[in-house]
Amino acid sequence: GLAIDMIHALGERLGFEPEIKRMPWMRCLNELEDGRIDVLFYASFKEDRKVMGRYPEVNGNIDNTRRFSSASYAFYKLKDSELNFDGSNYEIFTGLVGAPRGYSIVGDLKKKGLTIDESPGTNLDFEKLIRGRLQAVAALELNGDYYLLTNEEFNSKIEKMEPLIVEKPYYFMISHQFYEKNKALAEKIWDTIAEIREDPNFKK
């Protein structure tokens, strides 16, 4: 959606024709690290990902002003479930919690003591939830809400839990190989992302 629009807007402003490839998330990270792709969109910051590619930085620190966007994670449960998340009590999750493989929320929740069942995507997690194979699902709020809006069965049986788990900034990562050869362009890409993000037409 918006990330695709951002890439086309980048191409128009910087004078290049983007080639977009769709791949599973872990493959995206691996190909970025190997330099087989130049840019990955979009990723939250994890320290261990810095070996895979570069984030926008200023004075050696992650530059949040040049993020693509911010996004939230939420828990989803069956409507007849008695789970009640208060934002801090993670001990209520005694069963398996589904989450997309490779997403940063997986590591975050494991540190909280949750047992995570990693899958290719949130739609599969929702199917497992309905079948009773998961106690809850952790998902990007945009993705989870989208599936509730577009899938009648999901909407009739699943609901989002409040409050949200966390909100994180998301960035376009650039491969180390591309950055070393095209440092000025790489920095311009991040600068332009910030400009487009704040453009009134893009916000609309």
Side-chain angles (χ1 to χ4, degrees), residues 77-82 154-159:
K77 68 173 184 176
L78 293 175
K79 289 185 176 180
D80 59 3
S81 170
E82 296 182 358
F154 290 166
N155 185 62
S156 66
K157 297 180 180 179
I158 297 172
E159 64 183 5

mmCIF file of all heavy atoms in Angstrom, residues 77-82 154-159:
data_model
loop_
_atom_site.group_PDB
_atom_site.id
_atom_site.type_symbol
_atom_site.label_atom_id
_atom_site.label_comp_id
_atom_site.label_asym_id
_atom_site.label_seq_id
_atom_site.Cartn_x
_atom_site.Cartn_y
_atom_site.Cartn_z
ATOM 1 N N LYS A 77 -7.756 -11.921 19.829
ATOM 2 C CA LYS A 77 -8.256 -13.123 20.497
ATOM 3 C C LYS A 77 -9.621 -13.489 19.934
ATOM 4 O O LYS A 77 -10.254 -12.701 19.220
ATOM 5 C CB LYS A 77 -8.366 -12.878 21.997
ATOM 6 C CG LYS A 77 -9.457 -11.852 22.363
ATOM 7 C CD LYS A 77 -9.668 -11.755 23.870
ATOM 8 C CE LYS A 77 -10.823 -10.802 24.191
ATOM 9 N NZ LYS A 77 -11.117 -10.744 25.649
ATOM 10 N N LEU A 78 -10.099 -14.688 20.280
ATOM 11 C CA LEU A 78 -11.464 -15.070 19.942
ATOM 12 C C LEU A 78 -12.434 -14.250 20.788
ATOM 13 O O LEU A 78 -12.153 -13.939 21.951
ATOM 14 C CB LEU A 78 -11.677 -16.562 20.194
ATOM 15 C CG LEU A 78 -10.889 -17.515 19.286
ATOM 16 C CD1 LEU A 78 -11.121 -18.958 19.736
ATOM 17 C CD2 LEU A 78 -11.291 -17.333 17.825
ATOM 18 N N LYS A 79 -13.568 -13.925 20.213
ATOM 19 C CA LYS A 79 -14.528 -13.072 20.916
ATOM 20 C C LYS A 79 -15.075 -13.712 22.192
ATOM 21 O O LYS A 79 -15.469 -13.009 23.121
ATOM 22 C CB LYS A 79 -15.678 -12.708 19.979
ATOM 23 C CG LYS A 79 -15.275 -11.733 18.884
ATOM 24 C CD LYS A 79 -16.451 -11.299 18.038
ATOM 25 C CE LYS A 79 -16.039 -10.249 17.022
ATOM 26 N NZ LYS A 79 -17.160 -9.781 16.173
ATOM 27 N N ASP A 80 -15.096 -15.055 22.253
ATOM 28 C CA ASP A 80 -15.601 -15.703 23.454
ATOM 29 C C ASP A 80 -14.487 -16.022 24.455
ATOM 30 O O ASP A 80 -14.718 -16.685 25.464
ATOM 31 C CB ASP A 80 -16.365 -16.984 23.103
ATOM 32 C CG ASP A 80 -15.500 -17.989 22.348
ATOM 33 O OD1 ASP A 80 -14.293 -17.725 22.147
ATOM 34 O OD2 ASP A 80 -16.034 -19.044 21.951
ATOM 35 N N SER A 81 -13.259 -15.528 24.181
ATOM 36 C CA SER A 81 -12.139 -15.750 25.094
ATOM 37 C C SER A 81 -12.243 -14.813 26.292
ATOM 38 O O SER A 81 -12.688 -13.669 26.171
ATOM 39 C CB SER A 81 -10.813 -15.515 24.372
ATOM 40 O OG SER A 81 -9.739 -15.490 25.290
ATOM 41 N N GLU A 82 -11.797 -15.279 27.449
ATOM 42 C CA GLU A 82 -11.819 -14.465 28.662
ATOM 43 C C GLU A 82 -10.509 -13.716 28.880
ATOM 44 O O GLU A 82 -10.329 -13.080 29.926
ATOM 45 C CB GLU A 82 -12.134 -15.348 29.876
ATOM 46 C CG GLU A 82 -13.526 -15.969 29.820
ATOM 47 C CD GLU A 82 -13.840 -16.804 31.061
ATOM 48 O OE1 GLU A 82 -12.956 -16.917 31.936
ATOM 49 O OE2 GLU A 82 -14.968 -17.318 31.152
ATOM 50 N N PHE A 154 -13.291 -14.192 9.988
ATOM 51 C CA PHE A 154 -12.414 -13.588 10.982
ATOM 52 C C PHE A 154 -13.157 -12.525 11.784
ATOM 53 O O PHE A 154 -13.066 -12.459 13.014
ATOM 54 C CB PHE A 154 -11.196 -12.940 10.303
ATOM 55 C CG PHE A 154 -10.216 -13.908 9.700
ATOM 56 C CD1 PHE A 154 -9.241 -13.459 8.813
ATOM 57 C CD2 PHE A 154 -10.248 -15.258 10.016
ATOM 58 C CE1 PHE A 154 -8.327 -14.335 8.249
ATOM 59 C CE2 PHE A 154 -9.335 -16.161 9.452
ATOM 60 C CZ PHE A 154 -8.376 -15.685 8.567
ATOM 61 N N ASN A 155 -13.903 -11.681 11.092
ATOM 62 C CA ASN A 155 -14.604 -10.579 11.747
ATOM 63 C C ASN A 155 -15.658 -11.067 12.727
ATOM 64 O O ASN A 155 -15.904 -10.447 13.764
ATOM 65 C CB ASN A 155 -15.248 -9.675 10.697
ATOM 66 C CG ASN A 155 -15.882 -8.450 11.307
ATOM 67 O OD1 ASN A 155 -15.202 -7.628 11.913
ATOM 68 N ND2 ASN A 155 -17.187 -8.323 11.157
ATOM 69 N N SER A 156 -16.276 -12.197 12.410
ATOM 70 C CA SER A 156 -17.348 -12.705 13.274
ATOM 71 C C SER A 156 -16.813 -13.418 14.513
ATOM 72 O O SER A 156 -17.530 -13.543 15.506
ATOM 73 C CB SER A 156 -18.242 -13.667 12.486
ATOM 74 O OG SER A 156 -17.534 -14.837 12.105
ATOM 75 N N LYS A 157 -15.552 -13.844 14.471
ATOM 76 C CA LYS A 157 -15.028 -14.668 15.562
ATOM 77 C C LYS A 157 -13.849 -14.050 16.320
ATOM 78 O O LYS A 157 -13.536 -14.500 17.435
ATOM 79 C CB LYS A 157 -14.607 -16.034 15.021
ATOM 80 C CG LYS A 157 -15.748 -16.844 14.438
ATOM 81 C CD LYS A 157 -15.274 -18.191 13.906
ATOM 82 C CE LYS A 157 -16.446 -18.995 13.333
ATOM 83 N NZ LYS A 157 -16.003 -20.310 12.790
ATOM 84 N N ILE A 158 -13.204 -13.043 15.737
ATOM 85 C CA ILE A 158 -11.967 -12.508 16.319
ATOM 86 C C ILE A 158 -12.126 -11.034 16.630
ATOM 87 O O ILE A 158 -12.794 -10.299 15.898
ATOM 88 C CB ILE A 158 -10.784 -12.722 15.349
ATOM 89 C CG1 ILE A 158 -10.540 -14.214 15.115
ATOM 90 C CG2 ILE A 158 -9.513 -12.062 15.878
ATOM 91 C CD1 ILE A 158 -9.517 -14.497 14.022
ATOM 92 N N GLU A 159 -11.484 -10.590 17.713
ATOM 93 C CA GLU A 159 -11.492 -9.177 18.051
ATOM 94 C C GLU A 159 -10.107 -8.731 18.526
ATOM 95 O O GLU A 159 -9.314 -9.532 19.003
ATOM 96 C CB GLU A 159 -12.515 -8.874 19.146
ATOM 97 C CG GLU A 159 -12.231 -9.523 20.486
ATOM 98 C CD GLU A 159 -13.322 -9.247 21.499
ATOM 99 O OE1 GLU A 159 -14.334 -8.640 21.132
ATOM 100 O OE2 GLU A 159 -13.158 -9.660 22.666
#
